[in-house]
Structures are given as C-alpha cells and as structure tokens.
Amino acid sequence: MVEAVGLNVFKFPARMIPGCDLLTDSGTTTMTMRQWSQLLLGDESYGSNEGYFEFKEQVVETFGPQWENRDKNFENVFLFHQGRAAEAGLFTCLGRILKSSRAPYYFIPSNGHFDTTQANIEANGFEARNLFCKEALAKDQQARFKGNMDVAGLEALLDDPKMRERIPLVYLTVTNNTGGGQPVSLENIRKVSELSHSYGIPLMFDACRFAENAWFIQQFEPGYADKSISEVVRLMFEQVDGFHISLKKDGLVNIGGALVVKENGFLNKNYPELQGALTGHQVLVEGHPTYGGLAGRDLKGAVEGLKTVVSHGFLDYRISQVQRFGAWVDEACGADVVVKPVGGHAIYLDLDKFFAGTGLADGQFPGISLTALMLVAGHRCCELGIYSFGRNVDGKEIPPDPRVNNVRAAVPRLCYEDIDLRAAAEAFGVLYQQRGRIPGIEVIYGQELPMRHFISRFRFKR
Ligand code: F0G
C-alpha cells in the first residue's frame, strides 16, 4: 500500500495505520467531554449565531481586554474555516491594498513562516523572509527559546529606510513550527514589538500554539514562574496588533480559524481599508462573516477549547508527554538524533544526523524514505526538510535557506498513551540501526509544483 500511494504519507489511508498517526497535531485533537457537550448546543443560524458572540467574548477573556470590540462600526474577529484561509484572507486583501503584484517588492519578516503562510504570502506577490535566531541556526542544544527572531537582523532591516518601506508588517510564529516547534520568549516578543512599533509597523502573531508557547515562558523564562498561563498569554498578546490562528491546534478543535485585529493597533491604523476588504473576502469564500465557513457548533467547541487550553494541568501533561517521546526516540536509536530542546507539539529528527555517514545525498531525499518506512512499521510522520521546504525551478533543486532538514513526528492532543508513543520510538530505533540499508527515492510526479510534498509521488531507488 505504501508503494501504491507513491510513498506519499498524506495519501495513505488513515484507517490502515495500526500505530500512531503523528502526521500532524492539527485538527487531530480528541475533544473533551465539555467540548462535545457544547457541540450539542450549537446554534446553526445563518447570521449572528450564538457561537459567534461567545467566541468574541472568549477572545477577550483569553487574550486580554485590548481585544474587545468597542467600536461597533468595526469588526475585529474574522472567522475562517482554518488557519490558512485566514492567512489567505489577510494577504489577499493586503496584496490588493498595497498593489503588491509588481513584486516581490514588499516582504514579510518572521521568526519562521509556516509553509502555508509562506505560500499565501508568495501567492499574493510578497516575499516571505525568515530571520531565525543564531541559536537556532547554530543548532544549539541548550538554548531554551530557539523560536526567537533574530532581533539584530530585524533592526538592520528596519534601520534602513529603503528596506523599511518594503515591510508592511512583521510576523512572529508562536511556537515556531518551522524552527522545530520552539518557543519564543516574552523578552524577544517585547523587543520585536518595540522595534516594529518604533517605526509604526504592525506586529502580528501566527498564534496557532500560543498556549504551549506561554507554558514554556512560565517554565523557563526568568520572572514568570508565579504567573498563570492565562496571565502569560495576556502579556504576550499585549505586544501585537493582530493575530491569525488555526484553532485546530491550541483551539483544541478539529476545524476552525480566525484573524483577529486589535482595534487600536497599528494594523488597523495603517490599513483602515483592511476591515472592509476582509469582510468582502469572507462573503466571497466562506459565507456570512458571523460563521466564516464554520458550523455554529464548531464555534462553541472552539470557545470551550480556548478555555481548556490555558489550564496548567492540561499543558503540563501535554508538553511533558512530547518531551518523553523525544527522549524515547534518542534512547531507541542510541544516538542524539532528536532536535533539542524538544518543542511543544512534536519531535523533530535531524536528518543530517540520522543519515550521517550513509552517503545519501540531498537529491535522494532520504527524509521521504524514512517516512515511507515508518508507514511500513505502522506509524505516520512527515518530512519537513529539503523536499517540503525546497523548490524546483527549471529542473534545478533550490534547497531551503537557511537549511532545514527534519522529519517531524507531531503528537495529537489528548490522543495517545505513553505506551503508544514508545512503540513509534522503537520503530525509529529499528530504522536508525538499519540506516545504511535505507535507499533514496526518486520523484515521479510533482517535483516542480508548489506545496509539492502534499501531492508528489515517489519511488525507492533500487
Ligand atoms: N501556521 C502554523 C504555525 C501552522 O503550524 C499551521 C498548520 C498553519 C499556520 C495553518 O493552519 O492547517 O489550519 O490551515 N500546521 C499544520 C501542521 C498543518 O501540521 O503543522 P491550518
């Protein structure tokens, strides 16, 4: 079957996976009893359903009073069916406002854009630029906040007027998925915010895993040990002018997304046309803005999810399980192959370490081989490296710069027992012991397509 789906893990039937499905932590959450009870209370009215109002209230409750929608002529919560739809909404509208098609003139700096964010930015004529911090680039195994943005790099860009005028907004992804699920410190958030705001440039969060990020701040950043997760979350969100979120992660639901704009923030100030443009876009692609492509019950589930996710007990259990999983994989491999420190939602195996000494070249995409063989062993994970982040232009491979080369095993929330994850760790161990026998692959379809890892087909080189 693995060969029948062209070694593409996304195309493998989920019901045929006997072990752990670690493809993603997105939308794979097991919802709580309280969430299910809310689903039953869903109000499925076409316009202004109950969940919409409750969601807006919960945004204020979770992220802080600055997110209240006081001006009734202004909408600040834009619902979408998932995170990338919110990204598409933002960048489509911003692209039109800035007439970015003569591009790429404008660019969006980030601590690490996720692939869909990057794709949406590029599809609308902007350039996506990652400013990974030096600890991340140096693969420092000790640094606690490897998701940080390189502040000096941002400063150099913003201090140069010719560069500055090309930056419509700055992004921070919390936690930094592309950089290995690593957290961003409050100190870094504050510095990036001060710097961007000193030039009147809006700062946005890609807030998919905001609660997990807050947990790391509480645990490891000096000065926050006595703050609750909710308090840390509010401190984080004081610093930004807007955020988009895929509720499929820390919203603890199976579908949903939103773009939220701070009424008094720079995003609203700099782009007053944005609100109208977003509403128009929602009507065109999602439905009435008060349901934004979601069932009323989905919104109720998300409201309950946003309440649960900031509980310390939940986060402690969730993140410590991911940390244990990382330790088991290293133990099973008898080697230091997992990216350290382990992030909040997934473990990342460093392919450069895993395949060191095997002679497999980048162009043989050994990460794809590893994920295909993990499927044979009964578990699903995905490559996030040379294939997923690289591109092929006119037959020439362009690797991601800076280099990212991992296989990710993401842990769904409230889904697996430790013993399940131990089995997946053992499978990695067996493949590591046999790594000298793992063949490379060749791409038989889709090498030059955008977001190619989702659709490509491969076969083992014999
Ligand atoms: N931003 C980040 C940081 C993400 O991790 C994702 C999704 C998105 C945006 C897009 O959200 O899927 O709701 O459209 N990440 C999933 C993953 C797919 O597996 O990491 P979406």
Side-chain angles (χ1 to χ4, degrees):
M1 192 60 189
V2 176
E3 285 191 323
V5 299
L7 311 188
N8 187 320
V9 294
F10 294 94
K11 301 221 171 151
F12 193 82
R15 68 180 168 79
M16 292 179 73
I17 298 171
C20 297
D21 191 351
L22 309 175
L23 188 58
T24 179
D25 65 320
S26 177
T28 50
T29 306
T30 304
M31 283 196 289
T32 64
M33 197 170 63
R34 294 183 77 92
Q35 283 180 291
W36 279 104
S37 70
Q38 284 303 309
L39 295 196
L40 295 177
L41 296 171
D43 167 10
E44 304 303 338
S45 309
Y46 190 90
S48 300
N49 69 82
E50 203 172 84
Y52 160 75
F53 294 106
E54 289 177 3
F55 188 80
K56 286 187 68 150
E57 280 167 26
Q58 191 57 41
V59 163
V60 179
E61 184 58 34
T62 302
F63 302 107
Q66 296 171 332
W67 297 93
E68 196 175 334
N69 187 191
R70 294 197 180 87
D71 174 0
K72 295 304 168 211
N73 294 316
F74 170 78
E75 176 58 82
N76 79 325
V77 172
F78 301 88
L79 297 169
F80 290 93
H81 71 274
Q82 64 181 89
R84 70 200 66 189
E87 295 165 1
L90 175 63
F91 291 110
T92 305
C93 295
L94 203 61
R96 252 186 250 133
I97 292 168
L98 292 171
K99 303 193 178 32
S100 65
S101 52
R102 68 188 174 100
Y105 174 74
Y106 294 106
F107 64 93
I108 318 277
S110 169
N111 59 334
H113 289 292
F114 187 64
D115 57 7
T116 61
T117 323
Q118 175 168 347
N120 273 302
I121 287 173
E122 289 171 354
N124 289 291
F126 300 94
E127 182 196 326
R129 246 188 233 189
N130 290 331
L131 302 175
F132 295 121
C133 67
K134 51 179 191 314
E135 293 85 350
L137 291 173
K139 301 194 173 181
D140 183 337
Q141 301 254 28
Q142 310 298 328
R144 266 289 157 206
F145 290 95
K146 256 162 70 176
N148 283 351
M149 179 184 268
D150 168 18
V151 177
L154 181 68
E155 198 163 9
L157 289 174
L158 293 179
D159 281 350
D160 177 350
K162 286 217 167 62
M163 283 298 187
R164 186 165 68 235
E165 67 171 29
R166 295 174 56 193
I167 303 177
L169 41 89
V170 175
Y171 248 90
L172 280 175
T173 310
V174 290
T175 55
N176 189 342
N177 192 356
T178 303
Q182 302 291 325
V184 182
S185 71
L186 203 43
E187 185 190 10
N188 192 259
I189 295 171
R190 287 207 174 109
K191 280 191 183 152
V192 171
S193 167
E194 256 168 51
L195 201 56
S196 309
H197 290 166
S198 70
Y199 290 111
I201 297 175
L203 173 63
M204 302 285 289
F205 273 152
D206 174 340
C208 291
R209 301 176 180 87
F210 71 95
E212 290 173 4
N213 199 90
W215 183 90
F216 281 103
I217 291 173
Q218 187 208 48
Q219 295 289 306
F220 299 116
E221 189 167 352
Y224 301 101
D226 61 346
K227 297 249 183 291
S228 67
I229 299 291
S230 294
E231 285 169 319
V232 177
V233 167
R234 285 174 172 220
L235 291 173
M236 288 166 59
F237 281 78
E238 265 174 18
Q239 300 299 322
V240 294
D241 305 286
F243 63 92
H244 82 257
I245 182 166
S246 163
L247 296 163
K248 300 170 73 171
K249 285 82 170 174
D250 278 354
L252 303 185
V253 283
N254 305 122
I255 199 76
L259 174 68
V260 186
V261 177
K262 200 178 265 178
E263 219 169 68
N264 303 320
F266 282 103
L267 189 71
N268 192 21
K269 258 185 224 145
N270 294 6
Y271 308 108
E273 320 90 305
L274 189 62
Q275 185 211 331
L278 277 169
T279 307
H281 177 85
Q282 276 179 308
V283 173
L284 206 61
V285 301
E286 296 282 27
H288 192 262
T290 55
Y291 73 85
L294 294 166
R297 59 179 169 273
D298 295 331
L299 284 164
K300 292 257 194 184
V303 169
E304 199 55 44
L306 288 177
K307 288 180 187 164
T308 303
V309 79
V310 291
S311 106
H312 187 77
F314 162 73
L315 285 170
D316 237 9
Y317 159 76
R318 190 265 184 297
I319 302 180
S320 67
Q321 186 183 49
V322 178
Q323 312 284 309
R324 285 195 294 281
F325 181 34
W328 293 330
V329 171
D330 272 354
E331 195 184 301
C333 294
D336 169 30
V337 290
V338 173
V339 174
K340 313 279 183 335
V342 171
H345 69 289
I347 63 160
Y348 291 70
L349 276 80
D350 183 335
L351 292 170
D352 292 337
K353 286 185 178 170
F354 196 96
F355 287 106
T358 60
L360 283 169
D362 280 357
Q364 292 169 285
F365 304 112
I368 301 291
S369 307
L370 179 57
T371 58
L373 292 172
M374 276 298 281
L375 265 185
V376 175
H379 308 279
R380 178 156 65 171
C381 50
C382 67
E383 195 253 13
L384 284 183
I386 304 292
Y387 198 75
S388 301
F389 295 128
R391 283 179 301 146
N392 190 284
V393 182
D394 301 331
K396 198 168 167 281
E397 271 298 309
I398 303 175
D401 179 24
R403 184 178 175 87
V404 182
N405 197 21
N406 299 317
V407 153
R408 183 185 77 169
V411 182
R413 294 166 183 78
L414 298 170
C415 199
Y416 291 114
E417 304 279 350
D418 281 8
I419 195 164
D420 303 319
L421 295 176
R422 264 196 182 272
E426 292 301 326
F428 277 123
V430 170
L431 289 171
Y432 183 76
Q433 307 313 333
Q434 302 292 326
R435 64 194 180 283
R437 296 173 56 204
I438 296 179
I441 58 98
E442 53 197 328
V443 187
I444 49 179
Y445 170 75
Q447 190 158 0
E448 66 300 332
L449 297 177
M451 308 292 286
R452 59 189 187 171
H453 52 300
F454 290 128
I455 40 190
S456 292
R457 295 176 64 83
F458 316 98
R459 69 172 159 238
F460 285 118
K461 274 198 178 138
R462 292 182 205 278

